[in-house]
Amino acid sequence: MQILRSYYPKDIEIAQTNIITGSLSSYPGTPLKTGSSGLNVQTIQTYLNRIRRNYPAIPAITDQAGTFGASTKSAVTKFQSIFGLTPDGIVGKATWYKISSLYTAVTRLAELNSEGTALGIGTVPPDSTLRQGSSGQDVITLQYLLNVISEYYPGIPSPSQDGIFGSGTRQSVIAFQQSMGLAADGIVGSLTWKALYDAYLGIGQNVPSPGPETGISSYVVRPGDSLWLIAQRFHTTVDAIKRLNGLTSDLLNIGQTLKIPASQEAPYIVYKVRPGDTLWLLSKRYNTTVNAIKNLNGLTSDMLSIGQTLKIPT
C-alpha cells in the first residue's frame, strides 16, 4: 500500500480489504457424518453434486441442503471407493480435501474459463455462536448479511466487513435483534442466525415486480415495516398505498401482500456516506455515473467523507 500511495496521484483512491472470496473452504475441524448439519454439510453436498457430473457413478444427493442424511452418506461412500479412501461415509480431513481438490479440478476454478461456481453464504446458517471479540470467516458472513439488510431496514447500522466482531458489529446485531423481536443481547446464536438468513433471503424474494400494464408492483410485508417506510422505499405516499389496498388503518401484518402504486420518483434520492463508500461504488449500486453524482452535488473531486449527505440521481 505504501508503494502504491507513493507512485499514484493523490486523487486516486486506493482501497484495501481483508475479504477474500473464491477460495475453497478449509476443513471445519470435525468429521461430518450422518446426523451432521449446517453450512459445512451444504458445502460438501454442493461439491459432490458438481463432481457427479464428471463421475456419474456417484449417486445424486437428495437430502435437504445442509442435512447429512442417507443420500449424502451414499454419495460420500461411493466417492471414497472411487478415489481409494476408506469407504466409511464419513467426511474426515482426507475425504474433505480430496473432495475439494476434485471440485477445483472439475470446475477449473483457477483458469480463465472458470465456470464461476461459488457457494457463497449458502442457505444454511453457520452453527457458530458469535459475540464481541469473535473473529474469522463467520464474522465476515455476519457483517456481509448485516450490510445487505441495513440497505432495506432503516435503523440497522452497517458494520465494517473486517472479520472482527467489534463494538460496531455488536451495535448492528443489537439493532437487528430489536427489529426482529429477539433478545437484544448482541450475541449471534442459532435464532439470530436464522433471522439473519430469513431476512437476507427474503430481500431477494420480495423485490417488487411491476405489472406489465398498470405499473403496480406487489410487496410482502416484513418485520419492522411500516406504511411510511414502504412509501419512502418506493417513492410514493402512505395515502396512495392505503387507497390502492383499501386500507382503513396504518396497521400491517407480517406476510401481508400489498399493492404498491407506480413510483412518484424524485429526480434523486438522499444518501449518507458510510465507511467503504466511493463514488464509483455508489454509481454502480444506483445505476448511474460518477459524473452524474458529482454534477448533482457540485463536487470537484472524488473524495468523500463519512456522514456526508449526497444526492444520488434516479
Side-chain angles (χ1 to χ4, degrees):
M1 291 297 291
Q2 289 175 339
I3 293 171
L4 290 173
R5 289 195 176 106
S6 174
Y7 285 96
Y8 276 88
K10 298 295 184 184
D11 60 347
I12 298 293
E13 178 178 359
I14 302 174
Q16 66 183 121
T17 180
N18 294 321
I19 303 169
I20 301 172
T21 59
S23 58
L24 296 178
S25 303
S26 298
Y27 177 61
T30 55
L32 304 177
K33 54 187 176 182
T34 302
S36 298
S37 61
L39 183 57
N40 291 321
V41 174
Q42 186 181 18
T43 299
I44 286 300
Q45 290 171 330
T46 300
Y47 290 179
L48 285 173
N49 275 328
R50 173 58 186 87
I51 293 170
R52 181 175 177 269
R53 286 162 52 183
N54 294 78
Y55 295 87
I58 298 174
I61 296 175
T62 57
D63 297 327
Q64 181 179 350
T67 301
F68 200 122
S71 68
T72 303
K73 181 179 180 180
S74 296
V76 170
T77 303
K78 187 62 177 179
F79 176 91
Q80 290 169 325
S81 65
I82 291 172
F83 294 100
L85 301 168
T86 303
D88 55 8
I90 298 173
V91 181
K93 182 178 290 187
T95 300
W96 176 281
Y97 283 114
K98 188 64 177 179
I99 291 174
S100 293
S101 66
L102 258 294
Y103 176 76
T104 302
V106 298
T107 55
R108 293 182 291 178
L109 289 178
E111 297 184 16
L112 291 176
N113 60 346
S114 162
E115 295 180 354
T117 307
L119 182 63
I121 66 168
T123 57
V124 180
D127 54 9
S128 58
T129 299
L130 304 178
R131 51 175 51 85
Q132 190 163 346
S134 299
S135 61
Q137 183 61 46
D138 285 349
V139 176
I140 292 177
T141 298
L142 167 66
Q143 291 167 336
Y144 170 76
L145 292 171
L146 289 169
N147 268 270
V148 174
I149 292 169
S150 70
E151 294 280 352
Y152 297 87
Y153 287 76
I156 299 177
S158 176
S160 300
Q161 293 186 52
D162 55 8
I164 300 171
F165 197 129
S167 59
T169 300
R170 184 174 185 274
Q171 291 172 3
S172 185
V173 169
I174 289 174
F176 174 80
Q177 291 171 326
Q178 289 172 338
S179 70
M180 297 296 159
L182 300 171
D185 55 7
I187 299 173
V188 182
S190 58
L191 292 178
T192 300
W193 273 123
K194 183 180 185 304
L196 284 163
Y197 269 67
D198 287 346
Y200 172 77
L201 297 172
I203 288 170
Q205 295 166 359
N206 291 322
V207 173
S209 53
E213 297 178 359
T214 64
I216 295 173
S217 57
S218 62
Y219 177 80
V220 179
V221 176
R222 302 192 297 255
D225 278 339
S226 69
L227 281 176
W228 184 85
L229 289 173
I230 295 171
Q232 294 297 306
R233 187 177 301 157
F234 295 105
H235 305 290
T236 184
T237 65
V238 171
D239 287 340
I241 297 175
K242 291 175 72 172
R243 278 197 306 271
L244 186 60
N245 292 275
L247 301 178
T248 56
S249 76
D250 290 353
L251 294 177
L252 297 176
N253 297 314
I254 296 173
Q256 177 181 356
T257 300
L258 292 176
K259 297 176 182 177
I260 307 297
S263 64
Q264 303 165 9
E265 292 195 14
Y268 61 83
I269 61 172
V270 178
Y271 179 85
K272 184 172 288 188
V273 176
R274 299 190 305 227
D277 282 338
T278 66
L279 285 177
W280 184 84
L281 287 174
L282 292 175
S283 70
K284 295 303 179 186
R285 184 181 305 164
Y286 292 101
N287 195 30
T288 183
T289 66
V290 170
N291 285 336
I293 299 175
K294 292 174 71 173
N295 291 337
L296 185 59
N297 292 273
L299 301 178
T300 57
S301 78
D302 291 353
M303 301 300 293
L304 297 177
S305 302
I306 295 173
Q308 177 181 357
T309 299
L310 291 177
K311 297 175 182 178
I312 308 292
T314 56

